[in-house]
Amino acid sequence: MYRSFLILLSFLCFSVNLSLSDPRATQAALICTNRTATVPERQTFVANFLAALDAVTPLILRQKYAAVINGTGSTAVYAFGECMKDLDGTDCNLCFAQCKTQVLRCLPFQRATRGGRLFYDGCYLRYDDYDFFNETLSTQDKTICASGDFSGGNKTVFSANVLELVRNLSVAAPKNDGFYVGSVDRGNVSVFGLAQCWEFVNGSACETCLTNAVSRIGSCTPKEEGRALNAGCYLRYSTQKFYDNSTSPIGRNKSRGRLTVILAVTSSSVAVALMIATTVFFVRRRVVEKRRARKELGALLVTVNKSKLNFSYESLEKATNYFHLSNKLGQGGSGSVYKGTLSDGTTVAIKRLLFNTRQWVDHFFNEVNLISGIQHKNLAKLLGCSITGPESLLVYEYVPNQSLHDYFSAKMNLPPLSWAMRYNIILGTAEGLAYLHEESELRIIHRDIKLSNVLLDEDFNPKIADFGLARLFPEDKSHISTAIAGTLGYMAPEYVVRGKLTEKVDVYSFGVLVIEVVSGKGKDSVPQDSRSILQKVWSLHGNGRLCEAVDPVLEGNFQEDEASRLLQIGLLCVQASPELRPSMSIIVKMINDSHEIPQPTQPPFLSPATMESSPFRQPGSTYKSQPESSTQSSGNSMTQSWIEPR
Ligand SMILES: *[C@@H]1O[C@H](CO)[C@@H](O)[C@H](O)[C@H]1NC(C)=O
Ligand SMILES: *[C@@H]1O[C@H](CO)[C@@H](O)[C@H](O)[C@H]1NC(C)=O
Ligand SMILES: *[C@@H]1O[C@H](CO)[C@@H](O)[C@H](O)[C@H]1NC(C)=O
Ligand SMILES: *[C@@H]1O[C@H](CO)[C@@H](O)[C@H](O)[C@H]1NC(C)=O
Ligand SMILES: *[C@@H]1O[C@H](CO)[C@@H](O)[C@H](O)[C@H]1NC(C)=O
Ligand SMILES: *[C@@H]1O[C@H](CO)[C@@H](O)[C@H](O)[C@H]1NC(C)=O
Ligand SMILES: *[C@@H]1O[C@H](CO)[C@@H](O)[C@H](O)[C@H]1NC(C)=O
Ligand SMILES: *[C@@H]1O[C@H](CO)[C@@H](O)[C@H](O)[C@H]1NC(C)=O
């Protein structure tokens, strides 16, 4: 039912000579220890872990490595991160930003492991419950070989080249600040390699570590690629030149004025993994705790019980046949959703939250109150909640025709949406968002606009789901999840890189959605195809052939002028600079043809200028809003209230 997406955020860089830059944010291995935190420790351990991760980030931005300790005694967390030395600052940050979200997979919902290492090809992150900063080798070290044998020539020659290369690298790196790249090209067979020791591994330890790595990586030949992943070092060989030595033997030109980063659009399960992981915070209480907790709630409960927003847990359990699997509608980042029939016959959608709201019931209930007051034809209405049971539930109006995502997923095999339906869906979604941003009293940034959050009613009118969800969770408890709550492919570059949140983040996601709906999302597209749909549409726009991007499933049954208008609006929305993106109310007018549509001037790329503006460089500012840099017209106070609710 829930399609699991490949995690891929790929970045391409163009310079004048089209040289390629790449943060190499692809996973080599995730290694979690088998030691888990005991129940009483768990919450503190995870809190310390998140604090340590938060402290590591600004340091990485500054010096490309960082070591941090947070907490004391049995809940102390040691965290270390480092980028490969050939990555420039931008790529390092991009790689690390992703690595950070993925290491959370070692801290799953029910269990928090006390250590984890994530090796990316561009960066490394490890946390543990002891001081491992000087560790050279460990029992968890791994050797990862590619599956395919070398096929580009004589295998014997290839293997010999690999061995010569890795040996030479292991000798050169310790003498060269723990880093070396190089290649061997003998007998028409080229091999490329990189060796790096982590920052706190001294020269002799580096040698020991790499010598060990060499002895193990040799077992990979004649596979075309191999990696040795040790506690103290990283060694890789490949038939591809994967490293960057474009300007100097080590590192590269620091001036990146010419470079432009393209943010490729891909779906991702990062959000899900992330949300699940961070919920370790809000450990689900057992039913035994129910009674005690009820007492504590005291006076508030009296209010809650009187409110018509309050649903009893038991009634919702019954409505869903005790959350029977057959009633499950889907699984989202914040929890699973079930279809339920209340005793009065009303059909509702019930969301089981992964977060436990026990500690801030008052806040939660208050927000449910506010959000349930938001009503618009294109928003799925929040009917109420249940906060007195063993877990927190939200009750929404039931929207029968599934989500937009289902119509673009080959698996579901639903009849394709007609052009008129698509047009109507895009318009309605724009109206719903314009309402959230500009008309509703709360002024909500959705933050997670994507196909699966647009539901369709019986007449195929769109209804945006899950708006205001982030408001329900106090910032201090879930800052990581809120910073990267969205789904990567839909996330505006300034949000991914700087955590800067304004309503223009939604405009960006909306633009991606428009392009997906018009072009059919590319059902057949390969997940790892980094030439994203955005790039494709952008280049078709350049050639004046936008209509070629329209979903072939429609077999030409669409209005060409409408299609190119919508695609042009989509491209306007995904421009890299937030200021260039129109507001949602203007977009509604553009779709209605009552407002001129300007030509998009920027591709959906991130320029280094955007990325290097002040907030990016300030330690500690990565996931904070930056009032002084907010060039958006409205939205600023709203942004603040999102990030710092109190
Ligand atoms: C953890 O794994 C190691 C080796 O893989 C094993 O020796 C040890 O017994 C395991 N510990 C637990 C608690 O499972
Ligand atoms: C751990 O992180 C918390 C929250 O950021 C901070 O207040 C505390 O001082 C840190 N403790 C240590 C030992 O660094
Ligand atoms: C290098 O590190 C190793 C392991 O931490 C340590 O045993 C050794 O004393 C260090 N050598 C020097 C010269 O610091
Ligand atoms: C061990 O790591 C620490 C960082 O925590 C570093 O300051 C120290 O120099 C390292 N010691 C050795 C012997 O390398
Ligand atoms: C590969 O190269 C080695 C050494 O150069 C040679 O002895 C061997 O015959 C070659 N094998 C093939 C299949 O060409
Ligand atoms: C980069 O590496 C490649 C392959 O090893 C080599 O051919 C090229 O000369 C190197 N460039 C620089 C600037 O070192
Ligand atoms: C590797 O090291 C050996 C011995 O120092 C040297 O003869 C050889 O040229 C080196 N190979 C490369 C590709 O640097
Ligand atoms: C390398 O390849 C070229 C052309 O493919 C060929 O002419 C040459 O003989 C090859 N050299 C070796 C040493 O195999």
Side-chain angles (χ1 to χ4, degrees), residues 153-158 160 187:
N154 186 320
K155 283 186 187 149
T156 318
V157 175
F158 173 74

Side-chain angles (χ1 to χ4, degrees), residues 335-503:
S336 43
V337 184
Y338 293 79
K339 181 179 177 176
T341 311
L342 301 177
S343 53
D344 67 357
T346 324
T347 308
V348 292
I350 298 168
K351 182 164 218 157
R352 294 173 97 165
L353 293 175
L354 292 169
F355 297 85
N356 190 296
T357 59
R358 184 81 61 208
Q359 297 121 5
W360 27 279
V361 198
D362 47 345
H363 164 88
F364 184 79
F365 192 69
N366 193 23
E367 289 295 337
V368 168
N369 242 310
L370 289 172
I371 294 167
S372 68
I374 294 182
Q375 301 201 28
H376 183 272
K377 67 181 170 65
N378 295 118
L379 299 175
K381 187 164 167 42
L382 177 61
L383 301 174
C385 62
S386 161
I387 50 177
T388 53
E391 63 189 332
S392 304
L393 306 173
L394 290 173
V395 184
Y396 287 94
E397 77 171 298
Y398 177 67
V399 185
N401 260 333
Q402 318 207 44
S403 82
L404 208 40
H405 174 260
D406 295 339
Y407 287 85
F408 292 101
S409 139
K411 255 196 211 148
M412 303 294 289
N413 211 11
L414 293 169
L417 298 165
S418 72
W419 177 253
M421 284 171 176
R422 294 184 201 214
Y423 193 83
N424 180 50
I425 288 165
I426 289 173
L427 176 59
T429 307
E431 287 173 347
L433 274 175
Y435 181 84
L436 280 182
H437 287 179
E438 298 165 48
E439 292 157 48
S440 81
E441 274 173 33
L442 293 179
R443 316 193 80 207
I444 287 178
I445 302 178
H446 188 293
R447 299 202 272 191
D448 201 10
I449 289 294
K450 57 182 173 188
L451 292 175
S452 56
N453 269 338
V454 176
L455 309 177
L456 300 177
D457 73 6
E458 55 279 1
D459 301 319
F460 289 90
N461 292 310
K463 283 182 184 279
I464 300 171
D466 270 5
F467 60 89
L469 208 53
R471 281 190 71 104
L472 297 171
F473 308 110
E475 169 63 22
D476 55 340
K477 295 278 167 52
S478 54
H479 50 296
I480 288 201
S481 61
T482 52
I484 319 180
T487 308
L488 281 177
Y490 291 90
M491 280 160 67
E494 78 277 8
Y495 188 36
V496 177
V497 177
R498 297 204 306 264
K500 185 170 147 189
L501 181 64
T502 68
E503 67 273 59

Side-chain angles (χ1 to χ4, degrees), residues 594-635:
S594 58
H595 194 288
E596 186 200 346
I597 306 174
Q599 289 296 324
T601 55
Q602 254 186 4
F605 309 157
L606 245 188
S607 75
T610 329
M611 298 181 69
E612 287 215 320
S613 58
S614 53
F616 197 42
R617 291 277 161 211
Q618 283 168 15
S621 68
T622 347
Y623 291 116
K624 293 280 188 313
S625 69
Q626 293 292 316
E628 73 280 3
S629 69
S630 263
T631 42
Q632 288 69 26
S633 46
S634 59

Side-chain angles (χ1 to χ4, degrees), residues 118-134:
L118 179 53
F119 287 89
Y120 268 23
D121 283 326
C123 52
Y124 171 65
L125 177 61
R126 174 174 178 188
Y127 76 92
D128 230 313
D129 55 0
Y130 68 98
D131 183 347
F132 61 84
F133 299 144
N134 306 104

